[in-house]
Amino acid sequence: MKPQKKKAKIGIVGCGAIGSRMAKSITAELKEYCRLAALYDIDLKKAQELAQKVSSPRAFKKSYADLLNNSEFVIEAVNADDTYTIIKEALSSKKNVLSMSVGKLLGRSDLFRLAENKGCRILIPSGAIAGIDAIKAAGLAKISSITLTTRKPPAGFFSGGPSVMEKRMNLGEITQETVIFDGDVDTAVKLFPHNINVAATLALASGVKEKMSIRIITSPDYKTNSHEIEVTGDFGRITTRTDNVVCPDNPKTSYLAVLSAIQTLKQFFGGIKIGT
C-alpha cells in the first residue's frame, strides 16, 4: 500500500468574498493536495460562519497568531491597511504566502528579500488578465512601454475608496463613459486599492513600472470588467484583452481573478498537468 501523501495545512486570513471562495475550493477541488486548517478574520463572526459553511469548524481561529501556528501556507485575502504586516509576519514564520492584494507588494522589495532569507515564496496569481508569462519573457529583453486600460461599471468600484472620497465623485450619477483616472501605476494602486491589482501584477511581472501608464474608465453601459494591455519593446508587441464576468460573491472582483488563485494553488501543490 502506498503511503498517504501528507496534505499541506492552509490558513486563510480574510473571510470575505475572495477568502470564502478560496476556502470552498480548497475543501472541494484541492482536497487531494491540501486541507483547510485555519480561518481568521478581524470580524470573528465571519470566520466562524465560514468554518461552519465548509464543514471545518475546527479551522476557526480567534487570532492571526493562532492561524500562523496552525498553518504551513497562508492565503492573504485582506487588502487592508495592515496587509503588509500580515504578509511580513507570515514570511517571518517561514510560511509560503499567496497574496491576493498584489498592490500591497508594489515597492516592497523587502518582503521578497525576507521570503528568500526565510526559504519561502510569495505566490502572485495572474489575476483577471492574460499574457503574464509572455510579459515576463519580454522583460528579459527591453520593454519600451506598457499601457493598461481598465473598464468597469460603476458598481464594480469600492464606494469608500480614496479616489471617490478625494474627488468627491458620486458613481451613481455617472450616465456616460467617463475616464476616472489616467496616470502612473503607483498612483493608480494608491487611489484604487480594491480595483486595480492587475496594474501591480503587470508592474511586478515586467519590472518596468516607470514605463507603465494606466487608464481607468467607467460607464453604466459596461456589463463586464475588462482589461486591455499593450506592451511594446525589442521583442515586438503584445496585446491582450480580457472581458471578465464578475465573481458571483462580489461584483467588485472578477471571477477569473479568483480562478487564477485556485489554479496557482493547484500548480504549487500538485504540479503542472497539461491536458489532464
Side-chain angles (χ1 to χ4, degrees):
M1 182 181 292
K2 292 178 72 174
Q4 189 171 7
K5 184 179 178 181
K6 183 182 176 183
K7 297 180 181 181
K9 296 187 292 183
I10 307 293
I12 301 177
V13 54
C15 298
I18 293 177
S20 297
R21 176 69 62 164
M22 295 296 291
K24 292 171 186 174
S25 294
I26 289 167
T27 55
E29 302 157 53
L30 303 178
K31 59 186 178 182
E32 180 183 348
Y33 313 112
C34 47
R35 68 180 179 87
L36 185 63
L39 291 167
Y40 171 71
D41 193 286
I42 193 170
D43 183 344
L44 294 178
K45 186 179 179 182
K46 269 188 182 180
Q48 191 168 29
E49 289 178 349
L50 178 57
Q52 294 291 341
K53 278 183 184 177
V54 296
S55 302
S56 302
R58 295 178 64 184
F60 167 60
K61 305 302 175 187
K62 294 183 178 179
S63 69
Y64 183 46
D66 199 10
L67 178 142
L68 290 177
N69 288 334
N70 286 275
S71 306
E72 298 168 341
F73 186 105
V74 174
I75 297 173
E76 171 278 307
V78 181
N79 205 349
D81 290 341
D82 60 346
T83 299
Y84 168 81
T85 302
I86 288 169
I87 297 173
K88 184 176 181 179
E89 288 181 4
L91 296 173
S92 297
S93 300
K94 298 183 179 180
K95 316 292 183 185
N96 292 306
V97 176
L98 186 147
S99 177
M100 297 301 294
S101 308
V102 185
K104 300 294 184 180
L105 300 175
L106 203 58
R108 296 292 191 174
S109 58
D110 59 310
L111 288 178
F112 293 95
R113 288 196 299 269
L114 177 61
E116 185 176 3
N117 291 338
K118 293 293 182 177
C120 48
R121 297 174 64 185
I122 301 174
L123 302 186
I124 301 173
S126 58
I129 53 178
I132 288 297
D133 283 347
I135 291 167
K136 286 179 181 177
L140 297 176
K142 180 182 177 182
I143 293 177
S144 303
S145 67
I146 301 176
T147 59
L148 167 67
T149 303
T150 289
R151 294 179 175 86
K152 287 188 176 187
F157 292 91
F158 180 60
S159 60
S163 61
V164 176
M165 289 186 291
E166 288 178 16
K167 297 181 181 180
R168 298 181 179 178
M169 289 191 305
N170 187 336
L171 293 170
E173 293 181 356
I174 292 177
T175 59
Q176 59 186 355
E177 188 173 80
T178 303
V179 177
I180 59 175
F181 180 82
D182 194 347
D184 63 275
V185 63
D186 286 320
T187 306
V189 169
K190 180 181 178 182
L191 294 182
F192 296 85
H194 299 270
N195 300 103
I196 202 71
N197 277 312
V198 291
T201 301
L202 270 175
L204 291 169
S206 66
V208 291
K209 71 174 186 177
E210 69 281 357
K211 296 180 181 179
M212 289 180 61
S213 59
I214 313 298
R215 204 168 193 231
I216 303 174
I217 308 172
T218 190
S219 168
D221 294 330
Y222 295 161
K223 304 303 180 187
T224 62
N225 299 335
S226 77
H227 304 287
E228 288 183 24
I229 301 167
E230 180 173 325
V231 186
T232 61
D234 289 352
F235 63 91
R237 181 168 169 261
I238 298 169
T239 57
T240 73
R241 174 175 173 136
T242 54
D243 291 309
N244 300 280
V245 299
V246 299
C247 180
D249 308 313
N250 184 355
K252 298 171 181 62
T253 300
S254 296
Y255 189 29
L256 184 61
V258 180
L259 294 175
S260 74
I262 296 167
Q263 182 61 21
T264 298
L265 285 181
K266 279 182 116 173
Q267 291 182 359
F268 185 77
F269 290 111
I272 301 175
K273 298 177 181 179
I274 300 175
T276 60

